[in-house]
Amino acid sequence: MDQTLSPITAPIPVRASSTDDPVELLRFAIDAHGLGAAALGTLVDIRGGSARALGAHMAVAADGRFCGYVSGGCVEAAVASEALLAMAQGRDRTVKFGDGSPFFDIVLPCGGGISVAIHILKDVGALRHVLDRLERRQAAGLVYSPERQTLISVDPPLRACWSEADFLTVYRPRTRIVLSGQTLEAQAVARLAEASGYDVIAVAPGGVRSVADIIDPFTAVVLLHHELDAEAAILETALRSPGFYIGALGSTRTHRRRVERLTAMAFRQDDIARIKAPIGMFGPTRDATSLALSVLADIAAARLAAYA
């Protein structure tokens, strides 16, 4: 692929936002395409270390605005410049940075190398399809063909990867947290989760009947009650759900009582073992903010483990 700078005059790249949310990136690309032209950059190869995972995106508008990340921020302006040149020349390109790259003045702090495939959007139907599926809390997939210079929607793969000569990207809904508990700890978790961009749904007492409909495979259930009776109904619902995380407040002794109750109710040991209790990644914590950090770190780690 051509990786030399072109004499074609191009706009100066300017970051439009600091988001790395795939939904916002795809919306930006769709809007930019509607205003003239746009390109989508995708991280398709990692050599050594990398700040981003395979499939990470950047979206670049023809006027120089861009958003998204394919590294820790050290090559994004260069990627945007290459995308602008690709749009000016009318053909896709794949560019290497770091290890193995001809751009000796662009060094990745991790010491590795990455390759970014830049696709000029000819239409945005595939992107709209992804957004539609994510809106319905369903995973989605795209396949990019460098040879045909096409981007089409497909059933979601297990992970971003190459399949022969095509690159597949997977998109999954935003993490949802179903939160139960009228406690200071619950308020702290809700505030921090919302600030982190999670979809938070607080379940009020008596609202358990509708919970089963909102716990999908991309949902974490957080139970922050000080009494086992208060958590019982939603915990039983969570154990019958496909949620990827179930965490419950309480000491090791409290959890033994919890296990005894669930065993007496004929829940299988495999199901009971899904409960993280005491809740959180680290502990014991002695204040609400520390507990909230512990819980959200645990949820993030569980999501990565489930969908890495």
Side-chain angles (χ1 to χ4, degrees), residues 51-297:
R52 301 286 164 172
L54 280 178
H57 282 317
M58 279 182 60
V60 184
D63 61 7
R65 293 175 299 119
F66 70 91
C67 62
Y69 292 87
V70 291
S71 75
C74 47
V75 304
E76 277 69 12
V79 172
S81 293
E82 291 293 323
L84 291 167
L85 293 174
M87 283 185 269
Q89 295 173 349
R91 64 176 184 271
D92 292 1
R93 56 173 57 189
T94 297
V95 189
K96 290 183 178 180
F97 296 96
D99 181 41
S101 169
F103 302 127
F104 298 109
D105 58 336
I106 301 177
V107 179
L108 275 66
C110 59
I114 62 174
S115 295
V116 179
I118 298 172
H119 171 61
I120 304 168
L121 293 171
K122 301 174 181 65
D123 65 73
V124 292
L127 304 190
R128 293 188 187 280
H129 180 74
V130 170
L131 292 180
D132 180 65
R133 287 185 64 90
L134 293 178
E135 180 69 23
R136 291 184 280 125
R137 300 215 31 103
Q138 299 173 357
L142 291 177
V143 57
Y144 170 63
S145 170
E147 180 180 354
R148 295 185 296 273
Q149 300 192 19
T150 57
L151 188 67
I152 61 174
S153 58
V154 293
D155 291 334
L158 293 176
R159 60 186 59 84
C161 64
W162 283 97
S163 177
E164 298 182 353
D166 297 335
F167 187 80
L168 284 72
T169 305
V170 60
Y171 305 85
R172 299 185 181 94
R174 186 191 307 264
T175 298
R176 169 178 287 167
I177 296 179
V178 170
L179 178 61
S180 178
Q182 304 297 309
T183 61
L184 178 63
E185 293 87 353
Q187 295 172 24
V189 170
R191 286 196 303 270
L192 191 57
E194 289 170 351
S196 300
Y198 292 153
D199 176 20
V200 180
I201 298 178
V203 180
V208 176
R209 290 184 179 179
S210 61
V211 170
D213 297 331
I214 58 177
I215 304 177
D216 58 27
F218 311 102
T219 298
V221 180
V222 175
L223 308 176
L224 299 177
H225 296 275
H226 293 298
E227 297 179 2
L228 292 181
D229 288 341
E231 72 175 28
I234 188 169
L235 177 57
E236 293 165 26
T237 300
L239 289 173
R240 297 186 179 98
S241 78
F244 74 90
Y245 178 92
I246 303 171
L249 189 67
S251 65
T252 301
R253 179 182 300 176
T254 298
H255 188 56
R256 283 199 295 268
R257 291 172 48 215
R258 181 184 289 120
V259 170
E260 291 171 359
R261 293 176 61 155
L262 293 169
T263 301
M265 297 172 64
F267 277 94
R268 298 184 306 146
Q269 291 304 307
D270 287 349
D271 291 329
I272 296 174
R274 295 172 60 197
I275 305 170
K276 179 63 180 291
I279 196 171
M281 177 169 283
F282 55 87
T285 58
R286 303 301 183 190
D287 62 273
T289 300
S290 295
L291 178 68
L293 290 168
S294 179
V295 170
L296 292 180

